[in-house]
């Protein structure tokens, strides 16, 4: 840039401080959101998929009942439509380990939940196991644990009671399976020593498919496999999407709404930069004329205006990159350990790409008005000066003048028609701000609704829990019953049970007592009533391919019990792999209930003082090793983070929209400063002047708000379910329907508020401007 | 609005020891004292930089003096704030500018209606008054026309109609013929004279002695912000 041109650019940037600030802030917002969004998408999708493909992960692992199918028939299922590669069959057993020596970890002698142990070696065309520690098991008594099965570490020993020989097994390696197809692996020849007398090892078959990226595709793939297997021999499947969901849940949940804000920020950025540079050209027309008369070429004028946009735009891009990367650190932290290839920060190429796109966008936004400036004829530019075309808006001004409103208001309402292009751009900027506010507020309300729904898992006024040792439930029950203030109550506790067809165990929460008042927030169906009915979370239904009305078999060793799914409840713990039921439903399975998981939820009779109740109850309960406390639900850290992030992005978007209005109002006011002087000379008071300037943007703001709100509601309607799916749950309709009248009305007025806030400063300036100075300005 | 003294019999404008400095150096107005009675049409004369426009701004409440007082129709103009000045201008002043200062995107009638609308005059009454003025000044046929389509003389007539809209006791005219050709200037001069003959007080600010001679009843001459002559109108 030549010295002369550089001086012009610097002077332009320095002279238009408001516009420069607006451009810088807008770009900062857009780049921050874009970096976060792109970074999250990459972090949530890239590393897992990369690792999964590198390890030829199994899209589906299937378990076949060996009493109904031969190994040859299992192998034949590999010919199913869509299957590209298959591996197996491998022998598979479900066994309960008892720790022997865990080096101070698990207490020796306790019986743990079922482990799915598969007899195989690493390698093969599907699910290449990666050894992360130790070595592979080569002889009897050696076992390799899955990296996702945390309690056991290298060198630990365990037994499997009930299997032939009761051999001691030593963990000699830790391995990772991309599709988490088993909890442990042993040499194929070891499987008979892990098979209980009178039972047979089942078969595991692993498949990769041509298309397996959606649940619908996975359902189709599963059906194709089942069709080739005799009878009901296919007793369970585990789709890879469940594992993928668990690995990418946190970042994937954040991504959809940040993407939405990123898009809004980008649109806002283009609009505001267009307004600002366009305004700079309009306001500097006379200056352009003077520069050209001094010998500046059209190209130099264009470059000067591009420079005036790119300097604040470049600074905003830099700041946005810094903020985006800083905000990404806590958000992406959870994905850092995913398969050893996740990153705790934004990939550098994302920064480079976002910066390049942002700068190109700014240059493109500035190019049109800059080119117009370059093409202005010198004489026209000098004579046109800063007065807008008087031909535009006359009809509107005349029509509006007939409205039964004070004249300053009708004058203000007509102002946008003098610069229809600029006004339309400002309207879109305000509309984008309103969309952001509508979406952001709706999102926060929905998230809080979801949180309240999740909190329904622990109902009542008082909770009795925190056992320090095994609880004598009968005594606790009796103590609670004795309290005169007790209304309704139940206890709940957790157990791990197998589900036919699923690897590993599933958490089962069982209720005892009157739980009719304790329904979780239901997505579909209803709460369970009595024996044989269960409620599950969405993740379980997806993982098992089951629906409400289906029956599933709960398994504990050789015992099994069939229960019917009657409802889908809201829960995101353990990727939604939860079953809730009445304890009588699992009594025949004789499950081992975690003695430390007992909780007693009590609803007090009306009028009972909670603190008095707790004091009285604790006198009876504390000797039993439990204590009563107020039931206070907390907000999850994820919801708090999302609320904070959505709030910050909304405020930033609104601020930029307000700054866009401010910039427009400043330009309009400066262009009409002579008119302002005339009106003040004719007796327009400061209050009337303020009203006129505010009205000049308020009408546009109101219309923009009315347009923006339904779009914001639509964005919410699209993004929220995507976030829910990323978190592994559907969103209950009651949490999605947050836009009621008391919320919509203020939102509709949001555009008016943004416009008014943005115009306050120039309105004040206009009101304070000395009439004599205003009249001299022209 | 603070109204101190002032009666129909007293001076309409009373200026006492008025001084105004814009920057360090010689004042734009220095210790100026003068009175203007109702019905007069004085012309303030002087070369560029003599303080004519500053004096007009002080009387119109567009600017504030550093020292001294300005009282118009009993109102201490130098003490008014922005809101008070606006009310004062609506009620007391009608302004006519050299370059007309009409709002180009309003029709002639809408321009003329503006002072009444800002003052909150009932719509029908304002419209009746505007039509009366437009007819009186011979520009009734242009009431729906935009100012850009009128000649300079016609525009200045519109400006005069606008200035008279609220029946102000004082018209301030700043070089009212400065941007007009000879014929148009002549017609505006006649108009000013007629208005004054009907009792309208008009303060002319001009460097054109010809204009002063044509329609002023008194001549006030300023040089370097000081009053150097105050007397009967000069004749051509």
């Amino acid at each position: 840039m030549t010295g002369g041109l550089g001086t012009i650019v610097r002077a332009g940037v320095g002279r238009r401080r408001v516009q420069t600030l607006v451009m810088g802030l807008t770009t900062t917002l857009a780049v921050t959101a874009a970096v976060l969004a792109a970074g999250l998408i990459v972090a949530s999708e890239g590393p897992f998929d990369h690792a999964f493909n590198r390890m030829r992960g199994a899209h589906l692992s299937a378990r076949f009942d060996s009493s109904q199918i031969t190994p040859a028939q299992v192998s034949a299922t590999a010919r199913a439509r869509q299957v590209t590669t298959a591996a197996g069959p491998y022998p598979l057993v479900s066994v309960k380990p008892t720790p022997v020596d865990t080096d101070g970890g698990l207490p020796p002698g306790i019986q743990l939940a079922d482990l799915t142990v598969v007899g195989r070696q690493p390698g093969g065309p599907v699910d290449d196991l990666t050894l992360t520690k130790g070595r592979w098991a080569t002889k009897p008594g050696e076992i390799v644990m899955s990296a996702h099965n945390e309690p056991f570490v290298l060198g630990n020993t365990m037994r499997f009671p009930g299997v032939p020989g009761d051999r001691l097994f030593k963990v000699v390696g830790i391995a990772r399976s991309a599709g988490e197809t088993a909890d442990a692996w042993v040499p194929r020849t070891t499987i008979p020593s892990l098979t209980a007398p009178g039972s047979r090892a089942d078969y595991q078959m692993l498949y990769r498919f041509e298309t397996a990226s959606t649940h619908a595709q996975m359902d189709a793939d599963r059906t194709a496999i089942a069709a080739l297997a005799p009878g009901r021999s296919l007793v369970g499947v585990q789709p890879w999407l469940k594992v993928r969901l668990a690995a990418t849940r946190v970042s994937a949940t954040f991504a959809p709404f940040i993407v939405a804000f990123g898009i809004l920020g980008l649109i806002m950025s283009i609009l505001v930069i267009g307004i600002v540079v366009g305004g700079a050209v309009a306001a500097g027309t006379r200056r352009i004329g003077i520069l050209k008369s001094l010998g500046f070429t059209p190209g130099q004028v264009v470059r000067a205006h591009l420079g005036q946009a790119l300097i604040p735009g470049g600074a905003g891009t830099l700041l946005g990159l810094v903020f985006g990367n800083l905000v990404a650190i806590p958000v992406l932290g959870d994905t850092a350990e995913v398969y050893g290839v996740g990153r705790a920060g934004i990939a550098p190429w994302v920064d480079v790409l976002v910066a390049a796109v942002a700068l190109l966008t700014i240059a493109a936004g500035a190019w049109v008005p800059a080119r117009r400036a370059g093409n202005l004829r010198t004489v026209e530019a000098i004579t046109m000066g800063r007065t807008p075309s008087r031909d535009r808006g006359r009809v509107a001004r005349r029509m509006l003048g007939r409205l039964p409103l004070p004249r300053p208001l009708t004058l203000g309402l007509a102002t946008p028609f003098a610069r229809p292009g600029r006004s339309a751009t400002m309207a879109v900027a305000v509309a984008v701000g309103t969309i952001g506010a509508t979406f952001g507020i709706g999102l926060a309300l929905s998230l809080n609704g979801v949180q309240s729904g999740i909190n329904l898992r622990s109902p009542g006024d008082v909770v009795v829990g925190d056992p320090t040792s095994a609880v004598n439930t009968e005594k606790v029950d009796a103590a609670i019953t004795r309290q005169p203030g007790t209304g309704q109550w139940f206890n709940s506790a957790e157990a791990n049970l197998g589900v036919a067809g699923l690897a590993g165990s599933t958490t089962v929460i069982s209720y005892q007592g009157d739980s009719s008042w304790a329904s979780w927030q239901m997505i579909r169906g209803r709460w369970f009533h009595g024996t044989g009915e269960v409620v599950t979370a969405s993740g379980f239904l997806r993982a098992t391919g089951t629906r409400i009305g289906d029956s599933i078999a709960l398994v504990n060793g050789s015992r099994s019990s069939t229960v019917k799914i009657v409802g889908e409840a809201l829960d995101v713990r353990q990727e939604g792999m939860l079953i809730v039921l009445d304890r009588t439903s699992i009594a025949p399975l004789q499950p081992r209930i975690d003695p430390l998981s007992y909780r007693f939820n009590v609803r007090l009779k009306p009028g009972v003082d909670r603190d008095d109740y707790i004091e009285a109850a604790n006198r009876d309960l504390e000797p039993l090793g439990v204590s009563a406390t107020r039931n206070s639900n907390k907000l999850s850290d994820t919801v708090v983070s999302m609320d904070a992030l959505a709030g910050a992005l909304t405020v930033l978007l609104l601020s930029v929209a307000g700054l866009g209005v401010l910039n427009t109002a400043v330009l309009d006011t400066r262009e009409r400063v002579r008119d302002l002087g005339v009106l003040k000379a004719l007796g327009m008071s400061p209050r009337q002047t303020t009203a006129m300037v505010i009205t000049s943007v308020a009408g546009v703001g109101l219309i923009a708000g009315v347009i923006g709100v339904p779009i914001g509601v639509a964005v919410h309607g699209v993004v929220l379910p995507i976030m829910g799916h990323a978190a592994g749950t559907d969103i209950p309709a009651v949490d999605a329907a947050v836009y009621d009248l008391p919320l919509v009305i203020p939102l509709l007025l949001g555009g008016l508020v943004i416009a008014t806030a943005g115009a306050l400063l120039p309105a004040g300036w206009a009101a304070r401007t000395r009439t004599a100075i205003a009249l001299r300005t022209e | 609005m603070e109204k101190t003294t002032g009666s129909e019999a007293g001076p309409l404008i009373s200026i006492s020891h008025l001084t105004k400095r814009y920057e360090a150096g010689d004042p734009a107005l220095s210790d100026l004292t003068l009175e203007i009675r109702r019905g007069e049409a004085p012309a303030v004369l002087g070369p560029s930089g003599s303080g004519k426009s500053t004096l007009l701004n002080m009387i119109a409440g567009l600017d504030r003096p550093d020292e001294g007082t300005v009282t118009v129709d009993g109102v201490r103009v130098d003490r008014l704030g922005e809101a008070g000045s606006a009310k004062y201008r609506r009620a007391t002043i009608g302004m006519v500018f050299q370059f007309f200062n009409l709002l180009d995107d309003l029709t002639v009638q809408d321009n003329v209606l503006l002072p009444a609308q800002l003052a909150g005059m009932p719509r029908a009454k304002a419209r009746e008054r505007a039509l009366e003025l437009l007819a009186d000044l011979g520009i009734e046929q242009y009431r729906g026309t935009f100012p850009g389509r009128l000649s300079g003389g016609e525009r200045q007539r519109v400006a005069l109609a606008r200035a008279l809209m609220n029946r102000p006791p004082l018209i301030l005219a700043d070089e009212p013929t400065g941007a007009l050709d000879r014929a148009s200037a002549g017609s505006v001069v006649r108009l000013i004279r007629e208005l004054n003959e009907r009792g309208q007080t008009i303060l002319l600010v001009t460097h054109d002695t010809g204009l002063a001679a044509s329609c002023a009843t008194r001549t006030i001459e300023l040089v370097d912000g000081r009053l150097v002559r105050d007397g009967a109108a000069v004749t051509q």
Side-chain angles (χ1 to χ4, degrees), chain A residues 422-448:
Chain A
R422 182 189 294 166
S423 303
T425 316
M426 187 200 82
V428 180
V430 174
V432 170
T434 314
I435 293 169
T438 306
F439 169 54
I441 292 169
L443 183 65
L445 289 173
S446 288
L447 290 175
N448 292 340

Side-chain angles (χ1 to χ4, degrees), chain A residues 201-248:
Chain A
D202 284 337
Y203 300 120
Q204 183 187 64
M205 191 77 181
L206 307 173
Y207 307 89
R208 282 178 67 83
F209 300 99
E210 267 178 37
T211 52
S213 54
T214 66
H215 289 288
Q217 286 168 351
M218 289 304 307
D219 281 349
D221 294 336
R222 177 194 180 193
T223 306
I225 299 289
L228 294 181
R232 292 172 176 269
S233 58
L234 178 62
V235 289
V237 292
Q238 176 167 288
W240 76 298
L241 292 176
K242 177 198 160 217
V243 183
R244 190 173 188 269
L245 172 69
T248 61

Side-chain angles (χ1 to χ4, degrees), chain A residues 387 390-395 397-398 401-408 410-411 418 672 674-688 767-773 775-776, chain B residues 22 57 61-64 82-87 89-90 93 95 97 99-107 110-111 114-115 117-120 123 143-149 162-163 166:
Chain A
T387 311
R390 296 295 182 185
D391 293 334
R392 285 185 296 217
R394 281 179 171 173
V395 175
R397 196 164 279 251
R398 204 168 178 179
R402 291 177 187 156
L403 289 176
L405 290 172
R407 194 60 171 133
T410 57
L411 285 172
R672 302 183 74 87
R674 184 192 67 100
D675 289 358
L676 200 61
V678 172
L679 289 165
K680 294 184 93 172
L682 295 178
M684 182 174 269
S685 68
R687 189 176 292 179
Q688 288 174 319
R768 284 192 306 275
T769 301
R770 302 289 296 179
T771 313
I773 295 167
L775 284 170
R776 272 205 301 271
Chain B
Y22 285 113
N57 287 344
L62 300 179
D63 213 340
R64 285 187 188 181
E82 277 294 305
S85 294
K87 284 181 188 166
R89 282 194 289 276
R90 279 182 216 159
I93 302 286
M95 293 193 76
F97 304 93
F99 293 104
F100 329 120
N101 278 343
L102 298 173
L103 300 189
D104 296 341
D105 47 1
L106 296 185
T107 62
D110 285 341
N111 264 287
L114 264 177
Q117 290 170 328
L118 292 174
R123 184 172 284 248
R143 69 176 195 225
T145 308
F146 288 97
R149 297 180 186 276
R162 185 178 66 182
N166 287 352

